[in-house]
Amino acid sequence: MQKKLLVLAAGILQVPVIKKAKDMGIYVIAADGDANAVGLQYADKAVVVNITSEVTTRASISFYNSEEDVLRVAREERIDGVIHPCSEVSMNVMGRINEELGLSGITKLQAIRATNKHLMREAFESGNAPSPKSFCFEDANKAWKCFCKELPKDGILKPSRNSGSRGIAKIQKGLSEVQFVELFNRAKEKSRDKSVMLEQFVEGPEFSVEIIAWNGEVNVLTVTDKKTTEAPYFVELGHNQPSCFPQYTVDSIKDAAVAGVKALGVMNCACHAEVKVQNGEAYIMEIGARLGGDFISTELTHLSTGVDMVAAAINCALGIAPCLEPSEEKHGVCIRYFCPKPGRLVSIQNTEVLDDSRVYLWEIYHKEGDMIPEVTSSLCRSGHVIVTEETPQKAIALAERLINEVKMETV
């Protein structure tokens, strides 16, 4: 009998998952609150429904808890599994569906722990998984006093519930209370539960770890090197696989990520761990119990490891043992993002350089006449290019050359 999979969200990052599930012979129901979500057209059945479990406000209209609506869809369709790839806004809904329908995957409590950075930090501390010193506040003045007293060096402010670098800011010793409060309130505005994390700033390179957790085993597929903007926003500008760092560094990153996944207690799902290394010590920034965004899990991982991580995550959601053996050729792979100067986009030139056999995928998100914003979050980037080469070092060099050769002029 054909399996049925509910995919929560149907944006550009979810399209590879929808397509892969269909290629696997699975009947796909895609649900999204946006009737124009690009992924809906690829599903066997499209459902337009608010997939979050929180109150949101648009044009003075409040849209309340929709868990019941999504749960009703899951029951009526008699699904065999549910997946929420490359996003976190519906993790709680997915966890409840798993619980109430007896499906494979994380529970609602595990989903809450994996999307609330404060609860995540508590789990890491209880499980002896290495992570930065952190505090959680709703009040800016209390956070300011803690920053002055408890953190001897620089810190980070970040929404306790959000992703994509939204609302993150580095705070340096010596800044004024007024500046601190301004950055705190910006993070609070971006936080889905209106609380803010104040954390020790970890100085060093940033990585992600792509993982499949199945039946108590934490299987690390690869470590991803990250390129980010400088302070204050730390927006990701690109990634490469496999890591270019020494093996002992990669091993310490893997060990930290495995400890973090075990501390969260999640199982039968993909995981995306973010780690930084300072003075040779690995610190877990956060772990998502889901496929990573930015095409890391959906494209880069199969290109670099030969392992189809998307198929593995789909099988986990359906309660089927995932295949973690390579099934395709391995490459060095790199993604870089287009980030032209802010202003009105007046021309896009020289895209013909992207007509290269080593270019796996590319897209420019804007057209002439659009306004290009300052890059303060991942939503502000203007396009991407993914390339493959013999080594990650060669892939990085190629991707960065192409990013520079495509001209996006602004005024």
Side-chain angles (χ1 to χ4, degrees):
M1 184 178 294
Q2 188 178 31
K3 296 285 188 179
K4 285 188 174 184
L5 178 71
L6 175 60
V7 180
L8 297 178
I12 186 173
L13 293 179
Q14 288 78 41
V15 168
V17 179
I18 295 170
K19 288 183 173 180
K20 173 60 66 174
K22 290 199 66 176
D23 288 345
M24 294 166 66
I26 297 164
Y27 184 90
V28 178
I29 303 111
D32 200 292
D34 180 3
N36 297 313
V38 64
L40 295 177
Q41 64 184 300
Y42 299 106
D44 294 291
K45 184 171 184 176
V47 179
V48 179
V49 61
N50 178 12
I51 62 172
T52 69
S53 60
E54 300 158 5
V55 178
T56 57
T57 302
R58 300 176 194 163
S60 301
I61 301 174
S62 293
F63 296 79
Y64 290 91
N65 190 317
S66 66
E67 282 192 18
E68 300 300 332
D69 292 331
V70 182
L71 189 59
R72 175 177 48 79
V73 171
R75 284 196 174 111
E76 289 177 353
E77 296 296 335
R78 297 183 179 181
I79 65 169
D80 299 289
V82 56
I83 191 169
H84 183 43
C86 313
S87 178
E88 293 189 343
V89 298
S90 300
M91 293 291 286
N92 295 0
V93 181
M94 182 182 70
R96 183 178 170 193
I97 291 172
N98 284 334
E99 280 188 356
E100 297 205 11
L101 299 189
L103 302 177
S104 179
I106 64 174
T107 65
K108 185 169 181 177
L109 178 59
Q110 290 168 348
I112 291 171
R113 192 184 298 131
T115 53
N116 183 299
K117 292 179 177 62
H118 177 56
L119 297 178
M120 189 183 299
R121 286 278 180 264
E122 289 184 337
F124 291 158
E125 184 175 354
S126 297
N128 294 316
S131 66
K133 186 176 184 180
S134 68
F135 309 87
C136 186
F137 295 98
E138 295 182 3
D139 183 87
N141 292 323
K142 290 181 179 178
W144 167 252
K145 291 176 182 178
C146 179
F147 175 56
C148 295
K149 182 179 180 180
E150 300 292 341
L151 292 184
K153 297 183 179 180
D154 296 343
I156 284 281
L157 288 171
K158 62 176 68 172
S160 68
R161 291 200 63 206
N162 213 326
S163 58
S165 302
R166 292 188 275 281
I168 294 178
K170 181 181 179 183
I171 46 173
Q172 296 178 304
K173 287 295 182 179
L175 90 167
S176 70
E177 183 176 359
V178 171
Q179 292 171 312
F180 179 95
V181 170
E182 180 181 348
L183 292 172
F184 181 96
N185 288 334
R186 186 175 71 86
K188 185 174 181 178
E189 181 183 352
K190 297 294 184 181
S191 179
R192 294 198 294 274
D193 65 0
K194 301 307 176 187
S195 60
V196 176
M197 300 295 295
L198 168 64
E199 296 188 346
Q200 163 196 359
F201 178 68
V202 177
E203 184 76 59
E206 190 170 345
F207 308 83
S208 70
V209 188
E210 319 320 319
I211 292 167
I212 294 292
W214 176 253
N215 281 354
E217 292 293 326
V218 182
N219 304 281
V220 174
L221 303 187
T222 191
V223 171
T224 308
D225 297 341
K226 291 179 175 287
K227 178 182 180 179
T228 67
T229 62
E230 298 299 323
Y233 302 118
F234 303 101
V235 180
E236 295 174 3
L237 298 180
H239 319 281
N240 66 267
Q241 293 177 358
S243 175
C244 296
F245 281 73
Q247 190 60 48
Y248 63 85
T249 301
V250 171
D251 288 342
S252 69
I253 294 165
K254 290 180 178 180
D255 290 343
V258 170
V261 171
K262 290 181 177 179
L264 288 179
V266 298
M267 60 182 64
N268 299 347
C269 65
C271 292
H272 175 74
E274 296 189 349
V275 178
K276 292 186 77 172
V277 174
Q278 175 178 277
N279 299 326
E281 297 292 327
Y283 294 81
I284 309 168
M285 298 294 105
E286 59 187 80
I287 295 177
R290 55 173 174 80
L291 291 167
D294 278 3
F295 304 96
I296 295 172
S297 298
T298 55
E299 301 294 0
L300 270 60
T301 299
H302 77 85
L303 290 171
S304 72
T305 68
V307 176
D308 193 333
M309 188 174 188
V310 174
I314 290 169
N315 278 332
C316 285
L318 294 170
I320 300 170
C323 175
L324 302 179
E325 295 299 321
S327 59
E328 59 182 271
E329 184 180 356
K330 300 178 184 181
H331 306 271
V333 60
C334 177
I335 183 171
R336 286 292 184 264
Y337 285 88
F338 293 102
C339 296
K341 292 181 180 179
R344 183 169 62 87
L345 183 60
V346 295
S347 69
I348 304 172
Q349 299 178 17
N350 209 32
T351 57
E352 57 268 21
V353 300
L354 300 172
D355 185 18
D356 186 308
S357 61
R358 296 167 294 178
V359 173
Y360 177 79
L361 191 67
W362 70 273
E363 183 177 358
I364 292 175
Y365 311 149
H366 295 288
K367 61 182 184 301
E368 292 179 5
D370 286 352
M371 294 302 298
I372 304 298
E374 179 187 3
V375 179
T376 58
S377 80
S378 59
L379 299 177
C380 301
R381 300 172 304 198
S382 296
H384 66 269
V385 58
I386 299 174
V387 304
T388 60
E389 257 286 8
E390 294 176 350
T391 66
Q393 291 86 352
K394 289 183 178 180
I396 292 167
L398 174 60
E400 294 191 344
R401 176 173 66 79
L402 294 174
I403 286 289
N404 290 326
E405 290 183 356
V406 173
K407 303 300 181 184
M408 300 178 69
E409 301 294 334
T410 58
V411 294

